[in-house]
Amino acid sequence: MPEGRKLSQKRGNNRKFKKPEADCINDSYWFGRDRNCEYCFDEPLLKSTDKYRTYSKRHFRIFREMGPKNSYIAYIEDHSGNGTFVNRELVGKGRRLPLSNNSEIALSVWSNK
């Protein structure tokens, strides 16, 4: 059974729509421009934006660790030079924050979800 689910959001035609969901069953996932990341930011439309250049090759990692009572805690760890935000809070390069249900992640600026 999956421990989490990733919901991507993208803006288009002045409305927000969701890309297909992905069940998260591994202990760790990398996000960034590097093709070796599990979630690579390589969509042609995204590559043509100014924001794309602010994304790091390995921008952030989401992982889980065993917590109290044999339950997992999900974390986000920032590896970018331009920042990763969770619910408008800067994580900070080399730092990590726990994720909660429906946390919003933004790259480079807090409004870039």
Side-chain angles (χ1 to χ4, degrees), residues 14-68:
N14 294 325
R15 62 187 166 96
K16 199 182 261 193
F17 63 93
K18 293 180 180 168
K19 293 171 62 178
E21 300 173 355
D23 288 333
C24 299
I25 55 175
N26 295 335
D27 288 330
S28 180
Y29 294 90
W30 280 97
F31 295 74
R33 292 185 293 120
D34 190 320
R35 292 197 181 265
N36 291 321
C37 291
E38 285 83 6
Y39 293 95
C40 180
F41 309 141
D42 64 351
E43 295 180 13
L45 184 61
L46 179 61
K47 285 182 174 182
S48 67
T49 66
D50 290 336
K51 293 177 184 176
Y52 182 76
R53 289 189 291 270
T54 67
Y55 302 157
S56 299
K57 287 185 179 182
R58 289 183 161 266
H59 202 94
F60 65 91
R61 176 175 76 114
I62 292 179
F63 64 99
R64 66 182 182 179
E65 289 183 348
M66 188 60 70

Side-chain angles (χ1 to χ4, degrees), residues 89-101:
E89 178 183 349
L90 178 65
V91 178
K93 188 170 184 171
R95 292 187 52 229
R96 68 183 189 174
L97 289 176
L99 293 172
S100 60
N101 195 25

